[in-house]
């Protein structure tokens, strides 16, 4: 816990994942519930390997039904087009007025590869290298049209300042993109990039490109070790490590009542299960755990995945969050309006505006 | 809502008109110089357009797509409105602020993969309760490939065989779950795609999202007859419309389809005035705004391949005839793709709904800009609300169209006047619905739900 400058603001996020729910209503309801708790953002996972809707679409549908909460869908970089993905994420940022994130994932199975028929399954470290390239080109494309590019100059008849549009001319290992993007630079400049850095393969990509790293670990020591490594790597990549938020990612089962934790759990902390680290206990004990890890500077916050979304999210908001708010440890309203503001991350400068790169 | 009670004495089987609103995003029709013109990208603009279309009981709201910005000699073309949201994402958001309105996305079949796109479309159909549509375009722009993994470009024949296989495969995926919710594996091996597995989305409310086709070649028309529910065309005159209409509807029989199963909807612009003269005057002013001196010179540059610095917008046209195949603007593969060029941005010279009729005439001795204004910016329907309603109705009655895709000239208020002043008149004539009858886009269009082919 040496390198931490923890004890910054506490950040909380929740997963809205429900098994194969396709209608808009229940997603909207859960997102609003999370928003009532003032959470930084919600995530919605996505995979081609299991039934479920397109997550980015669902959170776009949720956007006009919410006002403040960040919206972070999973989008794989493996079988998708980098150009389309960045345009979709930028558009999510526009429709949510600056609340978009993107949880970058890879698709490792041969089953998923067969759905596309373009290539065979590839080892995870290779896929994460590609994911890094996609994360990189996405940010370049978000920058490819400067914020003030739209000049609407009546005297010259120019709608756009062509010097403020830029080819990105990106050549990756397996793809290249010319640019510029078709979508204007999104409100946040760069929507928030989230990477689950639990696995070793993903860690370099997370350290280099992520704004938020998720770490699934059952003990504070494990999370702290990954966090230290991420911060170290981020420095090596020339980043200020304080621009990376590290959240512990836990499954939570709050079904056991107010304080009734099973012996050895709840108050005893999460335990490792096949699904990942699981906290089982009451909302009050969970608040203790969150406050404790955060006070120790182990994490910047938590990303919680309810095992029973409706029940657990409700208990999380009305129990855990309410308690943290009462103790002055968590925001009671959103002072900002964008996800970057919730996370305390600055709006990034445009690389092309800084270097004055030619189009 | 603009709802009127059914007028008495309405003829019972009068052919109804369908209406859609179009948001091109990148084009030279949008009058951005108008003081009422607002953001092309803020959600509030799109929300206003969609809500207005729904207030007017329109069938659907429709977004164009262009995957590469228009360039000339490596530089971005700058006189036109450019920048738009990604279609499917913004339509999902619009599904949250509308209830009945159909939501149509233009999405390229050359630079997408069937599994992912079929899934995104099925998701929109679920989230909107059955209001999704897909305008299948194939892209004519060689440079577009430079933004994508596949990189290269397909010629027209291959684009349409790919598109046909793509749509067929999408339908197979949409049918892969049984109507009672059991997922079943699929497998497909064809010329362009070889894929297998399970689809992650159950059958959606419409069964299959509505399929739109926009392309004018013989291949395009055949493709529409074989598989589309709507054709988006630019045949804007009564005569051109009737012959196109007859041609496309005639092709349906071969595919075992009835004329009702494919709707023909030309893209149109409308200018209204309290008097005919006032409408004409407004229309002329709009044309001047669309064709700035700079735009006229740039059109010249692109159609003639001429060096712009040598010309004065108020001076005469070049002596030479336009080069028939001058690939001056990058990515234009052939002049035959004129209409497609219109989508990614064309010189207004070619932008007329009356393409092919309006040609810059040197004989008239008009200066460059004036020629561009004359040739290109002409609106499809100009007149009083009464006259425009009558003309629209006539187009439909005389089988030049089944309806219209209206392109508002000003973002986001360009639909307001039409909805307030023309829609009620169409309703009075018994030519347009007075309320939504169903909840899905198919129900608005009077299209049957596709039979499930498991
Ligand atoms: C009315 C109309 C609208 C079109 N809109 C688009 C569009 O938004 N995006 C696009 O990439 N292509 C668009 N196209 C191009 C067509 O999909 C097609 O690629 C092009 O017309 C060439 O096909 P064709 O040779 O059959 O005409 C449009 C075409 C027409 C006629």
């Amino acid at each position: 816990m040496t390198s931490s400058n923890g004890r910054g603001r506490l950040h909380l996020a929740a997963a809205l994942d429900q098994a194969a729910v396709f209608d808009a209503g229940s997603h909207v309801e859960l997102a609003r519930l999370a928003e009532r708790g003032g959470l930084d953002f919600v995530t919605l996972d996505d995979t081609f390997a299991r039934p479920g809707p397109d997550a980015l679409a669902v959170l776009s549908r949720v956007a006009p039904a919410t006002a403040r909460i960040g919206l972070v869908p999973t989008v794989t970089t493996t079988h998708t087009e980098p150009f389309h993905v960045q345009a979709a994420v930028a558009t999510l940022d526009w429709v949510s007025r600056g609340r978009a994130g993107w949880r970058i994932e890879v698709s490792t199975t041969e089953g998923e590869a067969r759905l596309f028929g373009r290539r065979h399954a590839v080892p995870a470290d290779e896929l994460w290298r590609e994911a890094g390239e996609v994360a990189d080109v996405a940010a370049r494309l978000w920058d490819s049209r400067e914020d003030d590019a739209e000049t609407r100059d009546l005297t010259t008849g120019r709608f756009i300042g062509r010097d403020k549009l830029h080819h990105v001319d990106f050549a990756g290992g397996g793809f290249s993109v010319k640019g510029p993007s078709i979508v204007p630079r999104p409100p946040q400049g760069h929507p928030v990039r989230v990477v689950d850095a639990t696995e070793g393969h993903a860690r370099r990509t997370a350290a280099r490109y992520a704004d938020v790293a998720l770490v699934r670990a059952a003990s504070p020591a494990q999370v702290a070790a990954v966090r230290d490594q991420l911060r170290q790597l981020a420095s090596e990549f020339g980043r200020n490590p304080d621009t990376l938020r590290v959240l512990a990612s836990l499954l939570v089962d709050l079904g056991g009542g107010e304080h009734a934790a099973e012996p050895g759990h709840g108050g005893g902390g999460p335990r490792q299960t096949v699904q990942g680290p699981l906290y089982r206990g009451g909302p009050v004990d969970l608040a203790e755990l969150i406050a404790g890890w955060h006070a120790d500077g182990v994490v910047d916050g938590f990303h919680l995945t309810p095992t029973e979304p409706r029940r657990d999210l409700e208990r999380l908001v009305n129990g855990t969050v309410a308690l943290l708010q009462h103790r002055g440890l968590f925001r009671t309203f959103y002072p900002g309006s964008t996800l970057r503001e919730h996370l305390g991350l600055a709006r990034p400068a445009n690389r092309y505006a800084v270097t004055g790169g030619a189009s | 809502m603009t709802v009127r009670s059914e007028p008495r004495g309405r003829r019972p089987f009068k052919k109804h008109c369908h209406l859609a609103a179009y948001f091109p995003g990148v084009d030279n029709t949008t009058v951005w110089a108008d003081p009422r013109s607002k953001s092309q990208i803020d959600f509030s603009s799109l929300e206003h357009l969609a809500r207005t279309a729904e207030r007017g009981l329109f069938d659907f709201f429709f977004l164009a797509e262009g995957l590469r910005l228009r360039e000339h000699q490596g530089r971005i073309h700058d006189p036109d409105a450019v920048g738009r949201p990604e279609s499917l994402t913004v339509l999902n958001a619009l599904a949250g602020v509308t209830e009945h309105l159909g939501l149509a996305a233009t999405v390229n079949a050359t630079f997408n993969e069937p599994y992912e796109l079929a899934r995104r479309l099925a998701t929109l159909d679920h989230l909107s309760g059955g209001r999704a549509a897909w305008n299948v375009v194939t892209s004519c722009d060689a440079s577009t490939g430079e933004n994508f993994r596949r990189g290269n470009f397909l010629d027209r024949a291959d684009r349409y065989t790919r598109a046909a296989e793509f749509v067929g495969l999408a339908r197979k995926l949409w049918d892969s779950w049984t109507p009672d919710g059991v997922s079943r594996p699929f497998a497909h091996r064809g010329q362009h795609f070889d894929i297998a597995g399970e689809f992650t989305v159950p059958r959606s409310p419409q069964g299959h999202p509505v399929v739109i086709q926009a392309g004018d070649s013989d291949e395009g028309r055949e493709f529409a007859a074989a598989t589309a529910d709507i054709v988006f065309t630019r045949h804007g005159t009564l005569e051109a419309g009737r012959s196109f209409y007859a041609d496309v509807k005639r092709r349906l029989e071969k595919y075992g389809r009835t004329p009702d199963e494919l709707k023909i909807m030309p893209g149109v612009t409308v200018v209204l005035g309290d008097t005919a003269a006032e409408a004409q005057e407004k229309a002329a002013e709009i044309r001047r705004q669309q064709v700035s001196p700079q735009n006229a010179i740039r059109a010249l540059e692109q159609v003639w391949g001429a060096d712009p610095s040598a010309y004065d917008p108020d001076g005469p046209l070049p002596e030479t005839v336009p080069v028939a195949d001058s690939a001056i603007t990058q990515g234009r593969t052939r002049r035959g793709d004129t209409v497609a060029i219109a989508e990614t941005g064309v010189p207004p010279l070619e932008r007329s709904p009356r393409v092919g009729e309006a040609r810059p005439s040197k004989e008239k001795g008009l200066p460059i800009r004036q020629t561009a204004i004359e040739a290109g910016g002409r609106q499809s329907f100009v007149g009083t609300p009464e006259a425009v309603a009558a003309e629209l109705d006539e187009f439909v009655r005389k089988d030049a169209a089944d309806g219209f895709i209206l392109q508002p000239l000003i973002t986001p208020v360009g639909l307001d006047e039409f909805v307030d002043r023309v829609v009620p008149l169409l309703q009075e004539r018994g030519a347009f619905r007075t309320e939504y009858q169903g909840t899905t886009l198919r129900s608005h269009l009077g299209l049957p739900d596709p039979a499930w082919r498991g």
Side-chain angles (χ1 to χ4, degrees):
Chain A
M1 283 158 259
T2 46
S3 66
S4 75
N5 77 334
R7 316 251 268 130
R9 276 189 285 165
L10 173 64
H11 301 285
L12 293 177
L16 299 187
D17 307 322
Q18 308 172 81
V21 171
F22 296 89
D23 73 297
S26 66
H27 291 104
V28 166
E29 211 180 299
L30 290 181
R32 283 185 171 156
L33 180 55
E35 185 168 69
R36 237 194 313 122
L39 303 197
D40 292 66
F41 61 92
V42 291
T43 60
L44 189 62
D45 206 1
D46 200 353
T47 167
F48 299 128
R50 276 191 312 276
D54 179 79
L56 189 141
V58 171
L59 293 184
S60 307
R61 173 65 184 77
V62 164
T66 51
R68 293 284 188 224
I69 195 159
L71 304 168
V72 184
T74 295
V75 184
T76 180
T77 59
T78 303
H79 300 295
T80 50
E81 288 288 349
F83 190 84
H84 290 322
V85 171
Q86 65 81 28
V89 173
T91 301
L92 178 61
D93 207 41
W94 279 107
V95 302
S96 65
R97 298 177 167 95
R99 297 184 282 134
W102 163 27
R103 179 161 164 190
I104 299 168
E105 257 303 343
V106 300
S107 308
T108 55
T109 68
E110 182 62 25
E112 289 159 292
R114 279 296 287 134
L115 300 170
F116 288 80
R118 292 210 284 198
R119 60 181 184 184
H120 286 290
V122 174
D125 54 347
E126 206 173 305
L127 293 179
W128 275 108
R129 211 171 312 123
E130 182 185 56
E133 291 179 351
V134 177
D136 185 8
V137 77
R140 290 171 192 273
L141 286 162
W142 293 330
D143 282 347
S144 67
R145 172 166 160 157
E146 294 178 34
D147 293 314
D148 57 353
E150 195 175 304
T151 49
R152 299 200 184 208
D153 186 337
L154 292 174
T155 53
T156 62
R158 294 197 153 93
F159 180 82
I160 195 106
R162 52 165 64 156
D163 295 330
K164 297 191 181 269
L165 288 172
H166 306 274
H167 290 134
V168 302
D169 287 319
F170 184 90
F175 67 90
S176 57
V177 178
K178 179 85 184 166
S181 179
I182 50 171
V183 182
R185 193 165 194 251
Q188 293 184 100
H190 300 173
V192 170
R193 287 171 290 179
V194 179
V195 174
D196 185 324
T198 311
E199 305 290 335
H201 323 286
R203 222 163 275 167
R204 292 179 68 81
T205 296
R208 189 159 186 182
Y209 299 108
D211 303 295
V212 176
L214 307 179
V215 181
R216 284 171 283 131
S219 79
Q222 280 173 294
V223 185
V226 177
R227 182 170 188 262
D228 287 348
Q229 195 201 357
L230 286 169
R231 292 176 59 90
Q232 176 66 35
L233 282 168
S235 298
E236 284 168 26
F237 285 122
R239 290 182 66 184
N240 173 355
D242 290 343
T243 61
L244 177 62
R245 301 279 170 269
V246 179
L247 308 187
S249 198
L250 301 176
L251 290 161
V252 294
D253 173 353
L254 304 179
E258 210 32 33
H259 292 276
E262 281 176 32
H265 309 131
R271 71 191 153 121
Q272 207 49 254
T273 71
V274 277
Q275 285 87 28
L278 169 72
Y279 168 88
R280 178 179 287 149
V284 173
D285 287 343
L286 180 59
E288 293 297 337
L289 182 149
I290 289 172
W293 289 25
H294 184 250
D296 291 343
V298 174
V299 291
D300 301 305
F302 287 79
H303 170 253
L304 304 168
T305 302
T307 51
E308 219 287 53
R310 210 153 285 276
R311 177 199 68 196
D312 292 337
L313 196 58
E314 159 107 52
R315 291 181 182 185
L316 181 70
V317 166
N318 295 334
T320 309
V321 170
L323 193 64
L324 290 167
Q325 288 170 330
H326 181 71
R327 289 165 56 179
L329 297 174
F330 192 61
R331 69 171 76 84
T332 53
F333 69 100
Y334 291 99
S337 59
T338 70
L339 175 53
R340 282 190 172 274
E341 286 167 347
H342 305 337
L343 291 165
L345 297 171
R347 186 176 193 272
N350 189 321
R351 81 195 62 210
Y352 298 108
V354 171
T355 61
S359 75
Chain B
M1 278 218 221
T2 317
V3 178
R4 296 224 173 169
S5 56
E6 292 281 326
R8 253 162 287 160
R10 186 170 75 85
R11 276 175 298 152
F13 296 117
K14 176 154 180 162
K15 193 177 161 197
H16 261 223
C17 166
H18 298 282
L19 290 175
Y22 185 58
F23 180 73
V26 176
D27 75 309
N28 49 28
T29 303
T30 302
V31 181
W32 56 262
D34 189 288
R36 289 167 297 169
S37 164
K38 297 241 168 64
S39 169
Q40 294 277 109
I41 184 74
D42 280 350
F43 187 62
S44 56
S45 287
L46 288 132
E47 184 175 353
H48 182 89
L49 283 164
R51 282 187 192 268
T52 308
E54 185 160 87
R55 186 162 61 83
L57 305 178
F58 280 34
D59 294 69
F60 60 97
F61 179 65
F62 188 12
L63 289 160
E65 178 191 72
L67 297 171
R68 186 75 196 270
L69 297 187
R70 184 174 161 210
E71 288 177 23
H72 177 59
Q73 294 174 341
R75 310 204 69 203
I76 306 293
H77 183 74
D78 57 11
D80 298 341
V82 20
R84 54 180 140 203
E86 191 269 323
S87 300
L88 284 164
T89 303
V90 80
L91 290 178
N92 278 297
L94 290 172
V97 297
T98 52
E99 259 180 74
H100 295 279
L101 187 67
L103 302 164
T106 299
V107 190
N108 197 294
T110 307
F111 299 105
N112 280 282
E113 295 302 313
Y115 187 86
E116 190 196 4
L117 182 55
R119 181 172 184 264
R120 297 186 71 201
L121 287 161
T123 299
L124 175 63
D125 207 43
H126 276 285
L127 294 174
S128 65
R131 299 189 276 140
W134 171 29
N135 178 28
V136 186
V137 296
T138 56
S139 180
C140 56
D141 193 329
S143 73
T144 307
E146 291 180 337
N147 282 335
F148 298 98
R149 287 181 189 267
R150 55 172 294 125
N152 55 351
F153 161 77
L154 291 170
D155 66 27
R156 185 195 276 135
D158 285 341
R159 279 187 270 134
Y160 275 112
T161 59
R162 182 180 160 104
E165 190 177 329
F166 197 128
V167 175
L169 185 43
R171 293 193 189 281
K172 189 167 177 171
L173 296 172
W174 293 330
D175 279 345
S176 71
W177 288 57
T178 65
D180 50 4
V182 180
S183 163
R184 298 170 343 150
F186 68 87
H188 170 93
R189 172 171 287 184
Q191 184 193 342
H192 298 276
F193 307 106
D194 176 4
I195 67 173
E198 276 187 56
F199 198 49
T200 65
V201 184
R203 192 170 174 78
S204 69
Q206 293 188 106
H208 300 177
V210 168
V211 171
I212 305 173
Q213 188 274 349
D216 202 24
S217 60
D218 194 58
E219 291 94 331
R221 293 178 187 204
E222 208 56 34
F223 173 68
T227 197
D229 301 301
I230 298 172
V231 179
F232 177 21
T233 143
R234 290 217 183 266
H235 291 274
T237 64
L238 190 61
E239 305 73 45
R242 290 181 57 136
S243 87
F244 178 79
Y245 191 100
D247 177 77
V248 174
K249 296 261 178 171
R250 183 162 32 75
R251 296 173 192 244
L252 287 165
E253 199 184 338
K254 181 165 31 158
Y255 301 98
R257 305 178 70 199
T258 64
D260 278 355
E261 290 177 47
L262 179 64
K263 307 295 178 197
I264 299 194
M265 300 181 69
V268 300
T269 51
V270 172
V271 180
L272 300 171
D274 289 338
T275 63
E278 189 198 296
Q280 288 298 344
E281 216 169 277
K282 268 167 74 180
E285 174 55 24
I286 287 165
R287 290 201 293 272
R288 277 192 294 277
Q289 287 175 309
Q290 286 165 334
V291 187
S292 64
Q294 296 78 7
N295 224 335
I297 288 295
R298 232 150 271 149
L300 177 80
E301 190 180 359
Q302 286 167 354
V303 175
W304 267 265
D307 171 9
S309 57
Y311 293 93
D312 172 0
D314 296 317
L317 286 171
E319 289 300 316
T320 50
V321 174
V323 203
D325 209 41
S326 62
I328 339 155
T329 301
Q330 59 97 3
R332 304 299 171 224
T333 50
R334 47 174 129 189
R335 290 231 78 68
D337 282 352
T338 322
V339 189
I341 295 172
E343 286 323 299
T344 29
V346 237
L349 285 174
E350 293 181 277
R351 190 61 175 69
S352 168
R354 294 159 170 99
V355 167
E357 293 159 45
R359 277 290 156 222
S361 118
K362 278 187 63 192
E363 296 78 70
K364 278 204 211 161
L366 293 173
I368 292 170
R369 182 179 175 211
Q370 198 54 37
T371 303
I373 290 172
E374 293 272 315
R378 251 192 273 165
Q379 298 85 358
S380 331
F381 297 94
V382 179
T384 61
E386 291 75 16
V388 167
E391 229 189 316
L392 293 173
D393 191 18
E394 185 192 10
F395 266 62
V396 172
R397 275 189 291 107
K398 293 196 171 155
D399 285 345
D402 293 312
F404 304 92
I405 296 178
L406 246 81
Q407 180 173 345
L409 296 170
I410 295 171
T411 306
V413 296
L415 285 178
D416 299 18
E417 203 185 4
F418 183 91
V419 165
D420 292 335
R421 301 183 71 186
V422 180
V423 167
L425 298 174
L426 287 171
Q427 291 170 327
E428 250 165 46
R429 302 178 78 89
F432 191 59
R433 69 174 63 85
T434 53
E435 61 188 343
Y436 286 112
Q437 299 292 331
T439 57
T440 66
L441 175 54
R442 281 184 184 278
S443 72
H444 307 334
L445 291 164
L447 295 169
D449 285 347
W452 179 70
R453 297 209 187 98

